[in-house]
Amino acid sequence: MNNEVYTFLTQVRRTELKIAQKIAKREQLECCLLPGALRYDTAKVQTSASDKMPDVMAEVADLDADIEALKRRAAEQTNEICDAIDMLDSEESKTVLMMYYIQRMQVEEIAHAIGYAPSTIYKIRRLSCVSIEKILERKDERV
């Protein structure tokens, strides 16, 4: 499989990994915002220059914005991949690529679901990726 095709078909996975990393970072920062650090035995809560809570809150807000932007990007990437897959001629190619790249099923699961041997699924996927490469080349020529 061409590296460009692999990159195209797996771009959503990479974006979703970035989302997961940002969510993990946000969760770590949110732990710093828990009220366990607040003192209730004083008359009023006082923030000072050493108080990091506003900075942490701002960083959490920035991460939330980044996560939402990445989610929109992942949705756009999924649509691009689905559009390319829909351009394939063979229904079995469409089915295999959708199950593998969009639904994230393992080859064995796909084989079981559609009643083919795993080796046949590998072959269909390989040949379908060659067809996707041609679709991407035609798309690039038009742009």
Side-chain angles (χ1 to χ4, degrees), residues 67-78:
I67 290 167
E68 287 308 310
L70 286 169
K71 285 180 179 179
R72 284 190 299 276
R73 190 165 117 204
E76 291 167 4
Q77 291 169 335
T78 301

Side-chain angles (χ1 to χ4, degrees), residues 72-96:
R72 284 190 299 276
R73 190 165 117 204
E76 291 167 4
Q77 291 169 335
T78 301
N79 288 336
E80 287 177 26
I81 294 167
C82 288
D83 290 345
I85 291 172
D86 284 340
M87 294 175 147
L88 294 170
D89 295 329
S90 165
E91 284 302 317
E92 68 182 6
S93 293
K94 291 178 186 181
T95 301
V96 168

Side-chain angles (χ1 to χ4, degrees), residues 25-26 29 53-66:
K25 185 174 181 180
R26 182 188 66 198
L29 288 172
M53 192 173 290
D55 295 336
V56 171
M57 290 173 63
E59 193 170 348
V60 167
D62 290 344
L63 284 169
D64 283 337
D66 290 348

Side-chain angles (χ1 to χ4, degrees), residues 2-97:
N2 180 324
N3 196 31
E4 181 181 333
V5 174
Y6 178 79
T7 300
F8 174 74
L9 291 171
T10 59
Q11 63 185 328
V12 176
R13 289 183 188 186
R14 286 188 304 282
T15 301
E16 288 174 349
L17 284 173
K18 289 177 188 175
I19 291 169
Q21 290 169 342
K22 289 193 181 276
I23 288 172
K25 185 174 181 180
R26 182 188 66 198
E27 289 172 354
Q28 287 176 339
L29 288 172
E30 285 175 337
C31 289
C32 298
L33 298 175
L34 292 176
L38 297 178
R39 293 188 59 191
Y40 296 102
D41 59 346
T42 58
K44 67 178 191 174
V45 176
Q46 180 179 354
T47 60
S48 65
S50 64
D51 187 5
K52 302 278 187 211
M53 192 173 290
D55 295 336
V56 171
M57 290 173 63
E59 193 170 348
V60 167
D62 290 344
L63 284 169
D64 283 337
D66 290 348
I67 290 167
E68 287 308 310
L70 286 169
K71 285 180 179 179
R72 284 190 299 276
R73 190 165 117 204
E76 291 167 4
Q77 291 169 335
T78 301
N79 288 336
E80 287 177 26
I81 294 167
C82 288
D83 290 345
I85 291 172
D86 284 340
M87 294 175 147
L88 294 170
D89 295 329
S90 165
E91 284 302 317
E92 68 182 6
S93 293
K94 291 178 186 181
T95 301
V96 168
L97 290 188

